[in-house]
Amino acid sequence: MNQKINILILMLSSIPALALAQEKVETQKVGFGHRTIYTEIIIDASPEQVWSVLTDTPSYSDWAVFMEQIEGKIKDQGEIIAYFKFNEDKDKLNEIPHIISVTPGREFAWSETFMMGMTDHHRFIVEATADGKTRFIQSDSVSGGIAWLLGKSLINIEEANYPRFNRSLKAEVERRFANTQS
């Protein structure tokens, strides 16, 4: 009987580990006034399918959380306006313009200096995994200017919200392409 209970406890304790293996969040203080965040999630779809949803910016209002809207096309040196909801308990959307760099089907990113000299380098990466799924990576680096004062607060906001965006992207991709998986 005790052996059965121990096996059951072992099986149940591994469930969160399996869920965590599909998602990763890491933050780092690189130096004084320089912080980074790295997030990833595994999506049960091809990179092309993930890219198609990620770049379908008019649909963001239907599924995305945190970055709830993007105006403009995802094209190299394109101008977009990203609308972020920094506090999910409030209706306020923060509008932030960006000029983006794009590697079609693979990555889009921006790197800009804003608020009192801080530099923000935000990346969205889509990459194939060996088992036919997709690793979606969202990362950011905040440095320079007053990042020594505000960097930790910004990374904390991102740490709370990037995984939420990643999970909403995963859900939308898997919903759209549920019947096309082999």
Side-chain angles (χ1 to χ4, degrees):
M1 180 79 166
N2 281 342
Q3 185 177 9
K4 287 181 182 179
I5 291 173
N6 288 340
I7 291 171
L8 180 62
I9 290 170
L10 181 62
M11 288 172 52
L12 290 174
S13 68
S14 68
I15 291 173
L18 292 173
L20 291 175
Q22 298 292 303
E23 192 171 358
K24 181 189 277 188
V25 179
E26 298 175 348
T27 62
Q28 182 178 14
K29 182 178 181 182
V30 178
F32 184 73
H34 184 190
R35 294 181 181 266
T36 62
I37 182 168
Y38 173 94
T39 67
E40 72 177 46
I41 194 165
I42 300 299
I43 301 175
D44 191 13
S46 71
E48 295 79 17
Q49 292 167 329
V50 174
W51 185 258
S52 74
V53 174
L54 183 64
T55 58
D56 177 14
T57 57
S59 75
Y60 273 38
S61 61
D62 296 332
W63 61 266
V65 296
F66 178 60
M67 186 170 49
E68 296 190 356
Q69 183 180 349
I70 290 182
E71 288 179 3
K73 293 193 183 247
I74 304 299
K75 65 178 187 172
D76 197 38
Q77 298 307 302
E79 294 182 28
I80 65 166
I81 299 174
Y83 293 85
F84 295 91
K85 190 172 193 178
F86 292 118
N87 184 336
E88 66 182 287
D89 296 330
K90 297 183 179 179
D91 289 334
K92 182 181 182 199
L93 288 177
N94 295 277
E95 175 181 320
I96 304 174
H98 301 288
I99 296 174
I100 60 173
S101 62
V102 177
T103 303
R106 167 84 176 127
E107 175 180 357
F108 79 90
W110 58 76
S111 186
E112 299 175 330
T113 301
F114 69 109
M115 192 186 346
M116 303 177 127
M118 283 193 293
T119 299
D120 169 43
H121 184 70
H122 196 136
R123 298 175 69 193
F124 302 89
I125 300 170
V126 173
E127 61 183 34
T129 63
D131 60 357
K133 297 179 182 182
T134 299
R135 176 176 292 105
F136 173 70
I137 299 166
Q138 183 174 190
S139 64
D140 210 339
S141 173
V142 179
S143 62
I146 62 168
W148 60 272
L149 180 62
L150 298 178
K152 182 177 181 183
S153 295
L154 289 172
I155 292 297
N156 287 344
I157 289 169
E158 293 167 353
E159 185 176 23
N161 288 296
Y162 284 13
R164 291 177 56 235
F165 177 88
N166 298 357
R167 286 190 295 270
S168 68
L169 174 63
K170 174 183 173 67
E172 180 64 10
V173 170
E174 291 176 0
R175 182 194 66 78
R176 285 192 197 183
F177 297 103
N179 295 328
T180 62
Q181 300 303 310
S182 47

